[in-house]
Structures are given as structure tokens and as C-alpha cells.
Amino acid sequence: MKYMLLKTYRDTAYCDTPITEWAPEDIMAHIEFQRVLGEELAKSGELVDAQGLAGPEEARVVCSDGRSAPVVTDGPFPETKEFLAGYWLVDVDSLERALEIAARASAGPGPGGKPIGEYIEVRAVMSAPEQ
């Protein structure tokens, strides 16, 4: 079964410092953690895809009625303190395995190597109904 693990940036009880303010060595340690996790999931055959996303300052919101020109706005709004930072798409045997991967991802290192307790949303990927 496929699950999307959505990595949401927001303050946590363990880390309230944005990654842009971390020491360079802490950023590199976090990136290395993500790389190793992705490599392990690829080796086990569970990784379908994983990507980090550009910051919200580069996001655009599109709305269209399908008839007139779409409305494209910058987004999310500057006061937004939470945003989607990246994702993993995994193909695993059970929800329990998806939750195990999400827990490991959540505990990635932050400033000083301490776990950041990142919020990871786990959602099953739906399939179309049988024809």
C-alpha cells in the first residue's frame, strides 16, 4: 500500500529555530540524515519518491473556473508559519510500517544534533474505484 509522508515545517516542542538559522554543520547533518533514510528505503524497495520543496516564498496558488484566465497569486501568505517542506512516497506492507518510517523521519537531527520532532503527516494514497 502506498502512503504519502508529508514533512510539515512548524515550530515543535523540540525545535523552534528555522533551518535557515541553523549552523552550517547542523544543516549538513540534517541533509545527510535525509539522504541516508532515502537510501535505506530505496534499498528495501519501499521508496517510490522523496523530494524537498522550495520555501513558501516561491509558492504560487492557482485558481481556475476552466473558462477564463486562471488567477495566480503568491502564496502562502507571509503570516503562515507552517508549510509543506517535502515528502516521501513509500510503498509498504502496512500502515504500521509507514508510521515507523514517519517516526524515524520526525526524529531527524536539528541544532546541536538533537532530534527536532518534526511533524510528519501520513496519508494513504487512494486508488480509483474499480470500473
Side-chain angles (χ1 to χ4, degrees):
M1 180 168 225
K2 290 183 182 166
Y3 289 90
M4 188 73 119
L5 284 55
L6 303 166
K7 177 182 173 107
T8 304
Y9 171 78
R10 64 179 170 186
D11 291 350
T12 72
Y14 309 100
C15 182
D16 60 1
T17 305
I19 194 168
T20 55
E21 296 176 17
W22 294 4
E25 60 272 14
D26 291 334
I27 294 171
M28 293 309 295
H30 187 76
I31 291 169
E32 178 64 8
F33 171 85
Q34 300 293 337
R35 188 194 65 71
V36 168
L37 177 58
E39 190 175 90
E40 290 176 9
L41 293 172
K43 282 182 183 176
S44 70
E46 296 172 307
L47 182 67
V48 176
D49 189 29
Q51 301 291 327
L53 301 174
E57 66 279 356
E58 295 184 39
R60 302 296 178 268
V61 176
V62 178
C63 182
S64 175
D65 63 7
R67 294 182 298 276
S68 54
V71 176
V72 180
T73 56
D74 292 343
F77 299 105
E79 63 272 8
T80 300
K81 295 186 193 277
E82 299 177 14
F83 61 88
L84 184 60
Y87 68 89
W88 295 266
L89 180 59
V90 296
D91 192 351
V92 294
D93 292 332
S94 65
L95 172 61
E96 289 73 24
R97 176 62 180 145
L99 295 174
E100 180 181 302
I101 295 166
R104 182 161 172 218
S106 174
K114 295 179 181 170
I116 56 178
E118 207 162 26
Y119 291 92
I120 308 291
E121 182 179 346
V122 178
R123 296 177 68 178
V125 175
M126 295 175 53
S127 59
E130 295 288 326
Q131 294 281 336

